[in-house]
Amino acid sequence: MTKHRVLSLPILILYRIYQVCVMAPLMIVVTVLSSLAVLIGTFCGGARFWSYWPGVIWARLMMWLTLCTVTVKGRENVKPGVSYVFVANHQGAYDIFAIYGWLGHNFKWMMKKSLEKIPFVGLACKVGGQIFVDKSSPTAIRNTMEKAEKILAGGMSVVVFPEGSRTRTGRLGRFKRGAFLLATEFRLPVVPITIDGAYDILPCTGKVPVPGHITLTLHPAIVPNADSQHDQETLAALSREAIAQSLPEDQR
């Protein structure tokens, strides 16, 4: 099983000093400024631009501050101007930075309702039109799906982690059907995304990140057929299979 990267003691000490004195303070400043940019920019107009691009810059700066890099494979599988349902494995917190910063396609997140409470970030996400998944009641779930449907109907894409939460072991988990319900409802192409390397930077059980490298693999789109040949279970299985192909054997 993949293990959290271990640094030598002298490098670890220097890196911890850097984290406390430089990285952490700058991350807070960058997060607040990015959130304010979303709030002010969206209020002034151009929500499609301001709900996306400040997040791209924020994500890239967060990766840079952590001394992490990203490689993207399969970018030719994503066409400009096409609405997609992106589904990705969820290795850790740095999945967010990698996708936001390097996907290169405007989208909305489908994210946990609890994230709405994060200072500045939660409000910016709400104003920016991100989709908070509320599972508190059947009515709340229906409202969440209706908001997602409106966004997709408007030509926007969405990014979903179908596992629902970060893996605790590094292994790929079971996929839930919500994202694939949206895809079949609107006959939208599903693009599986493999995230490899985020678990080594900061796993669910870790407390502080370490430098590392993340590879994003964008797989060919899976298009639901009009004759319902691709139902939700089939789409989920095909997406999981595609994602697993680009993961190390011990993470599949």
Side-chain angles (χ1 to χ4, degrees):
M1 183 58 58
T2 301
K3 296 181 180 179
H4 192 32
R5 183 178 176 185
V6 178
L7 302 176
S8 64
L9 184 57
I11 295 178
L12 179 61
I13 292 173
L14 289 175
Y15 187 65
R16 290 290 182 263
I17 294 173
Y18 163 74
Q19 283 182 314
V20 173
C21 298
V22 179
M23 189 179 87
L26 285 179
M27 279 185 163
I28 294 172
V29 171
V30 167
T31 299
V32 171
L33 291 178
S34 299
S35 299
L36 289 174
V38 173
L39 293 171
I40 296 172
T42 302
F43 177 77
C44 294
R48 191 180 182 95
F49 176 92
W50 288 103
S51 65
Y52 175 67
W53 284 105
V56 174
I57 297 170
W58 166 76
R60 286 181 172 249
L61 288 173
M62 297 294 265
M63 291 291 287
W64 179 75
L65 287 169
T66 316
L67 308 181
C68 294
T69 56
V70 177
T71 297
V72 181
K73 298 180 180 179
R75 194 177 292 282
E76 68 278 4
N77 293 318
V78 176
K79 308 302 180 185
V82 177
S83 184
Y84 294 102
V85 176
F86 294 99
V87 294
N89 58 314
H90 203 359
Q91 290 196 332
Y94 275 68
D95 299 340
I96 308 295
F97 304 143
I99 290 180
Y100 224 154
W102 280 267
L103 179 58
H105 196 89
N106 203 329
F107 67 89
K108 302 294 185 185
W109 292 101
M110 289 192 71
M111 55 205 309
K112 290 182 177 180
K113 180 71 173 177
S114 58
L115 297 177
E116 192 175 12
K117 300 178 181 179
I118 300 177
F120 287 101
V121 174
L123 180 59
C125 288
K126 185 175 181 179
V127 171
Q130 311 302 335
I131 306 165
F132 291 100
V133 180
D134 188 349
K135 299 180 180 179
S136 60
S137 68
T139 300
I141 294 174
R142 184 168 60 252
N143 290 338
T144 297
M145 296 303 290
E146 288 175 355
K147 181 176 181 180
E149 289 174 352
K150 289 179 181 178
I151 287 173
L152 289 169
M156 181 62 69
S157 296
V158 297
V159 173
V160 187
F161 295 116
E163 292 168 280
S165 59
R166 293 171 291 171
T167 175
R168 299 189 66 84
T169 63
R171 297 186 68 89
L172 186 62
R174 183 179 64 85
F175 280 11
K176 299 177 182 179
R177 297 193 304 168
F180 309 103
L181 173 62
L182 291 172
T184 54
E185 178 75 16
F186 286 90
R187 303 295 177 194
L188 291 177
V190 176
V191 174
I193 302 176
T194 301
I195 301 173
D196 182 22
Y199 186 79
D200 294 328
I201 295 172
L202 183 62
C204 181
T205 54
K207 295 182 179 180
V208 291
V210 297
H213 180 79
I214 295 175
T215 300
L216 289 183
T217 303
L218 312 180
H219 297 279
I222 306 170
V223 183
N225 295 334
D227 59 4
S228 298
Q229 178 181 342
H230 286 148
D231 58 16
Q232 297 158 33
E233 290 81 5
T234 302
L235 280 174
L238 291 173
S239 299
R240 192 182 186 283
E241 180 182 356
I243 290 171
Q245 288 176 355
S246 296
L247 286 173
E249 185 68 32
D250 62 356
Q251 293 185 20
R252 297 177 183 176

